[in-house]
Amino acid sequence: MYVEPKFLACGDSALSVEFGDTIDIEVNARVLTLDRSVSRQPIAGITETVPTYRSLLIHYDPLQTTFAELQRDLLPRLKTEDLSGIATNRAWSVPVVYGGEFGIDLEMIAIEKQITTAELIERHSTRDYRVCMIGFMPGFAYLGGLDERLATPRRKQPRPAAPRGTISIGGEQTALQSVPGPSGWHWIGRTPLDVYAPDRNPMCLLEPGDIIRFYPIERREWAAETRRCEAMIRETLQ
Amino acid sequence: MSVLKVITPGISTIQDHGRFGLQRYGVAPAGAMDRTALRRANELAGCKPGTPTVETGPLPATFEVSGAPIRIAVTGAPRQVSISGRQAALDQTHLLRDGERLAIGSARGGMFSYISFEGGLLTEAQLTSSSLDERAGFGSPFKRPLQTGDFLEVTPATIWPSERSAAIPSSGLSQRNVIRVILGPQDDYFFPETIDQFLNTRWRVGLNSNRMCFTLDGPLLAHAKGYNIVSDGTVRGSIQIAGDGQPFVLLADRGTVGGYPKIATLATVDMDRFVQIPAGGEVRFEAVSVERAQALLRTQASRGTPAMRDAGTVTVLNEAALSSANLAGAATNALEPAAFEY
């Protein structure tokens, strides 16, 4: 984490308030705290914000404000030490079929880490993850809190279509794939939880600040777990 | 309602001002690539700014009208347009009668054209926009690019005393295809020599360019401290340098976050000129400060005229190459493993 956040110009219509250059829960908490502050007490000229792992991207209208003016407006918001406002108080229990055809890279990672696949599954499914950012593709959830012993560099060649629901590891990041799409990460499992549905309100189930808890299921439990997920979504969104 | 039938689609999609406010959920704004041409098309047709139009890429496209006459205007890339064999000028309204065909030729010196309709197309906006976003599942009337045989519903023309045309605006820029950029946000991931190299190279817009990103062909740029950054937000115009050193410019259908260092960002004032540089066309970048870029925008706004495009060098398209590369600057293939995030 930086001593002082950096203001970086992303062209003439956006700026990034960068709190660090690593994946770190406290850095992300600062990002989300600033995001909440800007959405609760809007600043003139800001049109849209995008929280990421380590920075808040702020889109603005350069005819209403300027890079310099916005920095002045944002500075007092950065003084806060209270990071408690970020919790969404939502925790999602997310079933995952690990390995096999749903997690074709699980075994390779286990071999590389010199552990059994059961140990790998345990390490991945016994922690709480925080949704740090949504992005790249609609609803794609980047999670913080991966056991650093499971970090695995991205593949040199991305594969064209990771199925919806793929749980993957890329570097120190782990993620939940929302819609089918290209992926250079390692696929370790798949969940029936439908985190993105354009016709649902809200279309994007997860919010930055939510907690994710994975639990392993068997392939034959897929249908039953799908129903359980649907019930959980209905209950939470009521 | 009259109907516009798609005879050959080229690579065409419905695009308007775009879908904003959802980037935090991973949904890019989409919308017209050339917003100046979108605005002009809608002005000519008497529509509100940001009304849905047909955006068509550089390949030829043909449409046929049935029912009551409709009124259209075509703006954007320089190209031949004809109505049932009669030549029809760009930047001018035209009446299309029952059975007549609107033929849009190959783009000559540009990429994207906009067909606007008096009274507008019949679409149902989803979250404030009818623009196509295949991956997110948005778009109206279709959640995919136009196909042969599609019908678009169009409000019939009213009686106008005469057709309208736009005064051809002169370019506010003297040098052709020099596009201004603001360095950063990760220019510190490159040696000063590499930034000089980026600014001194005559790049060529790559054949793999599309609505998601334009690739830049030229030297590969070396990273000073690796190419893996912790993924952060992208904007329209972010210039990322991929792992192998290839620059690419993220555009309307980009991924909302990216994991490669971004050396610079296009200045908004030059954005529409940039997206009209054809595949194979040359481009050079000039660094300006963010203050200067914002001052240019204010000047432009105070004149009340959007940045006017310089048509650039006329490049005859290699259609075979474009078709086989399956790109041609238009609809994004949602499953294409484009090199942006990973």
Side-chain angles (χ1 to χ4, degrees):
Chain A
M1 188 159 64
Y2 305 147
V3 179
E4 293 288 334
K6 293 180 185 173
F7 292 96
L8 303 172
C10 302
D12 52 37
S13 306
L15 70 82
S16 170
V17 186
E18 193 174 280
F19 293 88
D21 55 6
T22 53
I23 296 176
D24 174 324
I25 292 296
E26 197 191 330
V27 169
N28 187 246
R30 288 183 181 275
V31 171
L32 298 182
T33 299
L34 181 61
D35 183 52
R36 303 280 194 274
S37 162
V38 171
S39 65
R40 281 175 196 152
Q41 291 169 279
I43 294 173
I46 294 182
T47 55
E48 193 166 351
T49 57
V50 184
T52 76
Y53 269 119
R54 42 72 173 249
S55 59
L56 185 68
L57 179 64
I58 298 177
H59 293 270
Y60 61 94
D61 176 357
L63 298 179
Q64 283 190 53
T65 185
T66 63
F67 183 52
E69 240 174 275
L70 255 190
Q71 288 183 57
R72 278 198 300 276
D73 292 342
L74 287 164
L75 260 178
R77 310 282 185 108
L78 302 174
K79 301 279 180 244
T80 179
E81 284 307 314
D82 177 14
L83 304 180
S84 60
I86 63 151
T88 57
N89 295 319
R90 292 201 309 187
W92 302 92
S93 291
V94 179
V96 180
V97 177
Y98 283 98
E101 57 175 321
F102 282 2
I104 56 177
D105 299 322
L106 185 81
E107 213 155 315
M108 184 278 291
I109 297 181
I111 291 168
E112 197 175 283
K113 308 289 177 199
Q114 299 182 322
I115 54 176
T116 64
T117 53
E119 284 168 326
L120 200 165
I121 293 168
E122 203 196 321
R123 278 184 199 173
H124 192 262
S125 62
T126 50
R127 344 184 111 206
D128 283 0
Y129 296 93
R130 174 182 293 153
V131 177
C132 287
M133 68 171 172
I134 306 287
F136 174 49
M137 287 186 282
F140 187 105
Y142 289 84
L143 310 179
L146 180 70
D147 183 332
E148 55 198 30
R149 292 171 299 176
L150 297 185
T152 312
R154 295 164 200 191
R155 290 166 53 85
K156 285 221 171 70
Q157 287 296 324
R159 286 178 291 213
R164 166 194 297 270
T166 297
I167 308 296
S168 55
I169 291 176
E172 299 158 36
Q173 309 176 25
T174 190
L176 199 167
Q177 177 112 14
S178 50
V179 295
S183 168
W185 294 21
H186 304 280
W187 306 351
I188 62 168
R190 197 183 302 170
T191 178
L193 180 70
D194 191 3
V195 297
Y196 179 77
D199 299 327
R200 182 177 61 202
N201 184 17
M203 56 180 189
C204 188
L205 192 64
L206 308 178
E207 286 277 347
D210 284 0
I211 300 297
I212 298 280
R213 295 185 184 119
F214 293 121
Y215 63 94
I217 57 165
E218 298 296 326
R219 176 77 170 84
R220 60 184 155 72
E221 298 173 292
W222 183 268
E225 289 292 333
T226 304
R227 286 191 297 277
R228 198 196 71 74
C229 286
E230 285 162 1
M232 173 175 68
I233 292 173
R234 274 195 305 276
E235 231 167 76
T236 313
L237 297 186
Q238 254 170 15
Chain B
M1 278 286 155
S2 301
V3 162
L4 190 73
K5 186 180 176 189
V6 179
I7 307 297
T8 49
I11 302 176
S12 302
T13 61
I14 304 301
Q15 297 293 343
D16 54 23
H17 48 59
R19 191 176 285 106
F20 289 88
L22 300 173
Q23 295 185 73
R24 61 191 296 111
Y25 300 120
V27 178
M33 290 286 276
D34 179 347
R35 291 184 278 196
T36 306
L38 172 78
R39 194 179 308 129
R40 177 148 6 115
N42 278 323
E43 264 167 28
L44 283 164
C47 300
K48 280 191 287 193
T51 298
T53 59
V54 173
E55 179 186 272
T56 194
L59 298 178
T62 311
F63 305 89
E64 190 181 282
V65 180
S66 57
I70 64 170
R71 183 173 280 110
I72 61 123
V74 183
T75 65
R79 65 208 305 169
Q80 294 283 331
V81 174
S82 65
I83 295 169
S84 290
R86 306 184 310 274
Q87 198 167 318
L90 295 178
D91 298 319
Q92 190 181 312
T93 58
H94 301 279
L95 211 56
L96 282 170
R97 295 186 174 80
D98 188 32
E100 286 192 318
R101 282 194 173 195
L102 172 69
I104 313 276
S106 298
R108 292 177 168 268
M111 284 288 243
F112 300 97
S113 294
Y114 297 84
I115 310 171
S116 60
F117 304 87
E118 185 202 347
L121 286 168
L122 189 71
T123 65
E124 230 174 278
Q126 297 149 309
L127 302 167
T128 73
S129 170
S130 297
S131 290
L132 176 66
D133 182 338
E134 251 187 309
R135 181 171 282 153
F138 294 122
S140 174
F142 305 105
K143 291 182 167 55
R144 52 160 175 76
L146 297 184
Q147 292 175 358
T148 298
D150 282 346
F151 292 101
L152 296 168
E153 290 190 83
V154 182
T155 307
T158 58
I159 296 167
W160 284 13
S162 61
E163 298 301 326
R164 286 181 200 160
S165 58
I168 298 299
S170 62
S171 164
L173 296 156
S174 55
Q175 283 167 294
R176 288 190 161 186
N177 292 353
V178 175
I179 298 292
R180 284 162 289 198
V181 297
I182 298 108
L183 290 178
Q186 279 101 29
D187 48 329
D188 58 337
Y189 275 67
F190 301 91
F191 296 114
E193 307 87 86
T194 311
I195 291 173
D196 288 346
Q197 189 186 12
F198 169 70
L199 295 172
N200 292 325
T201 296
R202 288 173 172 278
W203 299 95
R204 280 190 185 278
V205 170
L207 284 179
N208 286 314
S209 299
N210 56 36
R211 286 185 43 88
M212 197 183 278
C213 67
F214 275 25
T215 53
L216 298 173
D217 292 342
L220 298 177
L221 299 181
H223 296 267
K225 22 181 188 173
Y227 57 81
N228 274 303
I229 61 167
V230 174
S231 303
D232 73 347
T234 66
V235 301
R236 185 186 182 102
S238 292
I239 306 176
Q240 286 196 337
I241 309 300
D244 61 3
Q246 159 108 53
F248 53 102
V249 187
L250 300 179
L251 296 165
D253 289 350
R254 68 187 189 276
T256 53
V257 300
Y260 292 121
K262 295 171 277 291
I263 196 170
T265 314
L266 301 185
T268 306
V269 75
D270 289 344
M271 195 82 70
D272 294 338
R273 274 195 324 125
F274 176 77
V275 299
Q276 291 287 12
I277 300 172
E282 254 186 29
V283 58
R284 213 165 55 71
F285 298 106
E286 181 191 315
V288 296
S289 66
V290 60
E291 291 76 18
R292 170 86 183 128
Q294 292 182 340
L296 287 167
L297 266 176
R298 282 193 295 275
T299 309
Q300 184 191 76
S302 68
R303 283 203 203 110
T305 50
M308 288 310 172
R309 184 175 47 262
D310 175 343
T313 321
V314 173
T315 307
V316 177
L317 277 182
N318 180 343
E319 278 178 41
L322 283 174
S323 301
S324 67
N326 187 24
L327 60 101
T332 303
N333 176 349
L335 298 180
E336 188 182 317
F340 33 105
E341 155 69 320
Y342 299 97

